[in-house]
Amino acid sequence: DFSMSMVPGWRDAIYPAFQTLNSLQAGLATTLVTLYLLRRFGRMEQHVGVNEFWGASKLLLALSLLWFYFWWSGFIVWWYGRSPLEQDLLQLLMFGPYRYVFISAFVLNFAAPFLILMWNAVRKSIWGPTLASVSILVGTLLDKVRLYVSSWSVTDPLTAHAIEEVPGTHYPGVPDLMIVVGGIAGAAFLWLLASK
């Protein structure tokens, strides 16, 4: 709702399911990166083995394929609809000022994990699922920047019936990056506080 309601005329019934799927994908990726860090730096080699990574990598591959399916299901309606409003939405979210962010998110959320995890020998390792997980986490961050920053850049979203003009790119500044780092540091602080 924080993105779709800010863009006049944006109606997408599959968008909530797509965001839920992306959160499941990023949550599993976070779990795999955490397991890797616990194994590498937390002396947990005897408790966290290859089987855990191998089992989770199958789910991660399935979620990456579903990411593409849900993205395609939303995209194809706008592409073939070709109304002026749908063309403006495509320009705003995918092919306009945020096209490089979109391409990066597409590659990091779908293409790279798919190409990494489609090989059973890589899936049945520790470094393969971890590499795909890092790719997904960076891709998810870029995808959220693309969706939310572009949505909040639209002028007068509450009274307009269509996008009057596609706004330019707004890049994150130092305060935005500090908020992201602070959120990660806050989660680490709470974990350390609870473990003490």
Side-chain angles (χ1 to χ4, degrees), residues 80-114:
Y80 283 107
R82 287 296 187 177
S83 71
L85 177 65
E86 290 167 332
Q87 290 178 2
D88 288 342
L89 286 171
L90 286 172
Q91 282 299 314
L92 176 68
L93 298 172
M94 294 179 203
F95 303 121
Y98 291 94
R99 72 178 151 270
Y100 298 116
V101 180
F102 164 69
I103 291 168
S104 300
F106 184 85
V107 167
L108 294 172
N109 272 330
F110 166 65
F114 175 70

Side-chain angles (χ1 to χ4, degrees), residues 47-195:
H47 303 292
V48 180
V50 174
N51 287 337
E52 287 79 10
F53 286 90
W54 188 26
S57 69
K58 296 173 192 175
L59 289 173
L60 199 61
L61 176 61
L63 289 171
S64 298
L65 291 169
L66 280 171
W67 188 96
F68 175 79
Y69 172 76
F70 277 97
W71 170 79
W72 181 257
S73 297
F75 167 76
I76 200 74
V77 173
W78 294 346
W79 184 259
Y80 283 107
R82 287 296 187 177
S83 71
L85 177 65
E86 290 167 332
Q87 290 178 2
D88 288 342
L89 286 171
L90 286 172
Q91 282 299 314
L92 176 68
L93 298 172
M94 294 179 203
F95 303 121
Y98 291 94
R99 72 178 151 270
Y100 298 116
V101 180
F102 164 69
I103 291 168
S104 300
F106 184 85
V107 167
L108 294 172
N109 272 330
F110 166 65
F114 175 70
L115 292 174
I116 292 169
L117 295 175
M118 71 182 201
W119 306 104
N120 195 31
V122 176
R123 251 192 343 263
K124 196 177 181 178
S125 68
I126 293 173
W127 63 270
T130 305
L131 182 64
S133 297
V134 170
S135 170
I136 287 169
L137 291 175
V138 173
T140 299
L141 177 64
L142 290 174
D143 194 43
K144 299 314 168 218
V145 166
R146 172 185 69 96
L147 291 172
Y148 291 99
V149 174
S150 64
S151 298
W152 283 78
S153 301
V154 174
T155 57
D156 205 17
L158 300 178
T159 58
H161 296 288
I163 301 172
E164 295 172 6
E165 70 175 79
V166 177
T169 308
H170 294 277
Y171 294 105
V174 174
D176 299 320
L177 297 175
M178 291 174 70
I179 288 172
V180 170
V181 171
I184 295 169
F189 172 73
L190 288 175
W191 183 80
L192 288 172
L193 188 66
S195 67

